[in-house]
Short mmCIF file of all heavy atoms in Angstrom, two decimals:
data_model
loop_
_atom_site.label_atom_id
_atom_site.label_comp_id
_atom_site.label_asym_id
_atom_site.label_seq_id
_atom_site.Cartn_x
_atom_site.Cartn_y
_atom_site.Cartn_z
N GLU A 201 9.09 5.61 1.11
CA GLU A 201 9.19 6.11 -0.27
C GLU A 201 7.85 6.71 -0.66
O GLU A 201 6.79 6.21 -0.26
CB GLU A 201 9.53 4.98 -1.26
CG GLU A 201 10.92 4.40 -1.13
CD GLU A 201 11.19 3.31 -2.15
OE1 GLU A 201 10.53 3.33 -3.21
OE2 GLU A 201 12.02 2.44 -1.87
N GLY A 202 7.89 7.79 -1.42
CA GLY A 202 6.65 8.39 -1.92
C GLY A 202 6.05 9.44 -1.01
O GLY A 202 4.84 9.68 -1.07
N ILE A 203 6.87 10.10 -0.22
CA ILE A 203 6.33 11.12 0.68
C ILE A 203 5.69 12.25 -0.12
O ILE A 203 4.71 12.87 0.33
CB ILE A 203 7.42 11.67 1.62
CG1 ILE A 203 6.79 12.47 2.76
CG2 ILE A 203 8.43 12.51 0.86
CD1 ILE A 203 5.94 11.65 3.68
N GLU A 204 6.19 12.51 -1.33
CA GLU A 204 5.60 13.55 -2.16
C GLU A 204 4.18 13.16 -2.60
O GLU A 204 3.32 14.02 -2.79
CB GLU A 204 6.48 13.85 -3.38
CG GLU A 204 6.53 12.77 -4.44
CD GLU A 204 7.40 11.57 -4.07
OE1 GLU A 204 8.06 11.61 -3.02
OE2 GLU A 204 7.41 10.60 -4.85
N VAL A 205 3.95 11.85 -2.74
CA VAL A 205 2.60 11.38 -3.05
C VAL A 205 1.68 11.61 -1.88
O VAL A 205 0.55 12.09 -2.03
CB VAL A 205 2.62 9.88 -3.44
CG1 VAL A 205 1.20 9.36 -3.65
CG2 VAL A 205 3.47 9.65 -4.67
N VAL A 206 2.14 11.27 -0.69
CA VAL A 206 1.35 11.50 0.52
C VAL A 206 0.93 12.96 0.62
O VAL A 206 -0.24 13.27 0.88
CB VAL A 206 2.15 11.10 1.78
CG1 VAL A 206 1.43 11.55 3.06
CG2 VAL A 206 2.40 9.59 1.81
N GLU A 207 1.87 13.86 0.39
CA GLU A 207 1.58 15.29 0.52
C GLU A 207 0.61 15.79 -0.55
O GLU A 207 -0.04 16.81 -0.36
CB GLU A 207 2.88 16.08 0.47
CG GLU A 207 3.78 15.83 1.67
CD GLU A 207 5.05 16.65 1.62
OE1 GLU A 207 5.87 16.43 0.71
OE2 GLU A 207 5.23 17.52 2.50
N SER A 208 0.51 15.05 -1.66
CA SER A 208 -0.36 15.50 -2.76
C SER A 208 -1.76 14.90 -2.71
O SER A 208 -2.65 15.33 -3.44
CB SER A 208 0.27 15.14 -4.11
OG SER A 208 0.23 13.74 -4.34
N LEU A 209 -1.99 13.90 -1.85
CA LEU A 209 -3.28 13.22 -1.82
C LEU A 209 -4.41 14.17 -1.45
O LEU A 209 -4.27 15.00 -0.55
CB LEU A 209 -3.24 12.05 -0.82
CG LEU A 209 -2.38 10.85 -1.25
CD1 LEU A 209 -2.23 9.88 -0.09
CD2 LEU A 209 -2.97 10.17 -2.47
N ALA A 210 -5.54 14.01 -2.16
CA ALA A 210 -6.68 14.89 -1.95
C ALA A 210 -7.96 14.07 -1.88
O ALA A 210 -7.98 12.87 -2.21
CB ALA A 210 -6.77 15.91 -3.09
N ILE A 211 -9.04 14.70 -1.46
CA ILE A 211 -10.34 14.04 -1.39
C ILE A 211 -10.72 13.53 -2.78
O ILE A 211 -10.67 14.27 -3.76
CB ILE A 211 -11.41 15.00 -0.86
CG1 ILE A 211 -11.12 15.38 0.59
CG2 ILE A 211 -12.81 14.38 -0.98
CD1 ILE A 211 -12.04 16.45 1.15
N GLY A 212 -11.08 12.26 -2.86
CA GLY A 212 -11.46 11.65 -4.13
C GLY A 212 -10.37 10.82 -4.77
O GLY A 212 -10.66 10.01 -5.66
N ASP A 213 -9.11 11.01 -4.37
CA ASP A 213 -8.04 10.20 -4.92
C ASP A 213 -8.25 8.73 -4.52
O ASP A 213 -8.66 8.43 -3.40
CB ASP A 213 -6.67 10.67 -4.43
CG ASP A 213 -6.25 11.98 -5.09
OD1 ASP A 213 -6.76 12.27 -6.19
OD2 ASP A 213 -5.41 12.70 -4.53
N ALA A 214 -7.95 7.84 -5.45
CA ALA A 214 -8.26 6.43 -5.25
C ALA A 214 -7.09 5.62 -4.72
O ALA A 214 -5.92 5.91 -5.02
CB ALA A 214 -8.74 5.81 -6.56
N ILE A 215 -7.43 4.59 -3.94
CA ILE A 215 -6.48 3.55 -3.57
C ILE A 215 -6.69 2.42 -4.57
O ILE A 215 -7.72 1.73 -4.53
CB ILE A 215 -6.74 3.04 -2.14
CG1 ILE A 215 -6.65 4.18 -1.13
CG2 ILE A 215 -5.77 1.91 -1.78
CD1 ILE A 215 -7.17 3.81 0.25
N ARG A 216 -5.78 2.25 -5.48
CA ARG A 216 -5.95 1.22 -6.51
C ARG A 216 -5.77 -0.17 -5.93
O ARG A 216 -6.38 -1.14 -6.37
CB ARG A 216 -4.97 1.47 -7.64
CG ARG A 216 -5.27 2.74 -8.44
CD ARG A 216 -4.18 3.05 -9.43
NE ARG A 216 -4.54 4.17 -10.30
CZ ARG A 216 -3.68 4.82 -11.06
NH1 ARG A 216 -2.40 4.50 -11.04
NH2 ARG A 216 -4.09 5.82 -11.82
N GLY A 217 -4.92 -0.27 -4.93
CA GLY A 217 -4.68 -1.55 -4.27
C GLY A 217 -3.53 -1.41 -3.30
O GLY A 217 -2.78 -0.43 -3.36
N ILE A 218 -3.42 -2.37 -2.39
CA ILE A 218 -2.32 -2.37 -1.43
C ILE A 218 -1.66 -3.74 -1.46
O ILE A 218 -2.30 -4.76 -1.19
CB ILE A 218 -2.80 -2.05 -0.01
CG1 ILE A 218 -3.45 -0.66 0.04
CG2 ILE A 218 -1.63 -2.14 0.98
CD1 ILE A 218 -3.99 -0.28 1.42
N ALA A 219 -0.38 -3.78 -1.82
CA ALA A 219 0.39 -5.01 -1.81
C ALA A 219 1.26 -5.05 -0.56
O ALA A 219 1.73 -4.01 -0.09
CB ALA A 219 1.26 -5.10 -3.07
N ILE A 220 1.46 -6.23 -0.01
CA ILE A 220 2.27 -6.39 1.19
C ILE A 220 3.52 -7.18 0.84
O ILE A 220 3.46 -8.32 0.40
CB ILE A 220 1.49 -7.13 2.30
CG1 ILE A 220 0.19 -6.39 2.62
CG2 ILE A 220 2.37 -7.25 3.55
CD1 ILE A 220 0.36 -4.99 3.17
N GLU A 221 4.67 -6.54 1.06
CA GLU A 221 5.95 -7.21 0.86
C GLU A 221 6.50 -7.67 2.21
O GLU A 221 6.22 -7.06 3.24
CB GLU A 221 6.96 -6.25 0.21
CG GLU A 221 6.53 -5.74 -1.16
CD GLU A 221 7.49 -4.71 -1.71
OE1 GLU A 221 8.36 -4.22 -0.95
OE2 GLU A 221 7.38 -4.38 -2.91
N GLY A 222 7.26 -8.76 2.22
CA GLY A 222 7.91 -9.22 3.44
C GLY A 222 7.04 -10.02 4.37
O GLY A 222 7.46 -10.35 5.49
N ALA A 223 5.82 -10.35 3.93
CA ALA A 223 4.92 -11.13 4.78
C ALA A 223 5.26 -12.61 4.70
O ALA A 223 5.88 -13.08 3.74
CB ALA A 223 3.48 -10.91 4.35
N ASP A 224 4.85 -13.36 5.71
CA ASP A 224 4.91 -14.82 5.68
C ASP A 224 3.73 -15.25 4.82
O ASP A 224 2.59 -15.28 5.27
CB ASP A 224 4.79 -15.37 7.10
CG ASP A 224 4.87 -16.90 7.15
OD1 ASP A 224 4.48 -17.55 6.16
OD2 ASP A 224 5.29 -17.43 8.20
N GLU A 225 3.99 -15.57 3.55
CA GLU A 225 2.92 -15.80 2.60
C GLU A 225 2.03 -16.98 2.98
O GLU A 225 0.81 -16.93 2.82
CB GLU A 225 3.50 -16.01 1.20
CG GLU A 225 4.23 -14.80 0.63
CD GLU A 225 3.30 -13.61 0.41
OE1 GLU A 225 2.07 -13.80 0.33
OE2 GLU A 225 3.82 -12.47 0.31
N ASP A 226 2.62 -18.06 3.48
CA ASP A 226 1.83 -19.22 3.86
C ASP A 226 0.92 -18.88 5.04
O ASP A 226 -0.27 -19.23 5.05
CB ASP A 226 2.73 -20.40 4.22
CG ASP A 226 3.46 -20.97 3.01
OD1 ASP A 226 2.97 -20.76 1.89
OD2 ASP A 226 4.52 -21.61 3.21
N ALA A 227 1.48 -18.19 6.03
CA ALA A 227 0.69 -17.82 7.20
C ALA A 227 -0.43 -16.84 6.82
O ALA A 227 -1.55 -16.93 7.32
CB ALA A 227 1.58 -17.19 8.27
N LEU A 228 -0.12 -15.93 5.90
CA LEU A 228 -1.12 -14.96 5.48
C LEU A 228 -2.24 -15.64 4.69
O LEU A 228 -3.42 -15.32 4.87
CB LEU A 228 -0.46 -13.86 4.63
CG LEU A 228 -1.37 -12.74 4.13
CD1 LEU A 228 -2.12 -12.09 5.28
CD2 LEU A 228 -0.56 -11.70 3.36
N ALA A 229 -1.88 -16.59 3.84
CA ALA A 229 -2.89 -17.32 3.08
C ALA A 229 -3.84 -18.06 4.02
O ALA A 229 -5.06 -18.08 3.80
CB ALA A 229 -2.22 -18.30 2.12
N ARG A 230 -3.29 -18.65 5.07
CA ARG A 230 -4.15 -19.34 6.05
C ARG A 230 -5.01 -18.35 6.82
O ARG A 230 -6.19 -18.60 7.09
CB ARG A 230 -3.29 -20.16 7.03
CG ARG A 230 -2.61 -21.36 6.41
CD ARG A 230 -2.02 -22.26 7.48
NE ARG A 230 -1.00 -21.58 8.27
CZ ARG A 230 0.30 -21.58 7.98
NH1 ARG A 230 0.73 -22.20 6.88
NH2 ARG A 230 1.17 -20.95 8.75
#
């Protein structure tokens, strides 16, 4: 999802954050 965003990204555009869905939360916390 968001391929139009990918195509619009330019130098200086920010990564506000990256969330991970579907992870093993307990294993990731460890």
Side-chain angles (χ1 to χ4, degrees):
E201 291 181 25
I203 194 65
E204 70 284 355
V205 175
V206 170
E207 293 181 295
S208 71
L209 290 170
I211 294 174
D213 286 338
I215 301 168
R216 292 173 173 165
I218 299 179
I220 304 297
E221 299 175 348
D224 181 331
E225 296 296 340
D226 291 337
L228 181 55
R230 291 192 298 269

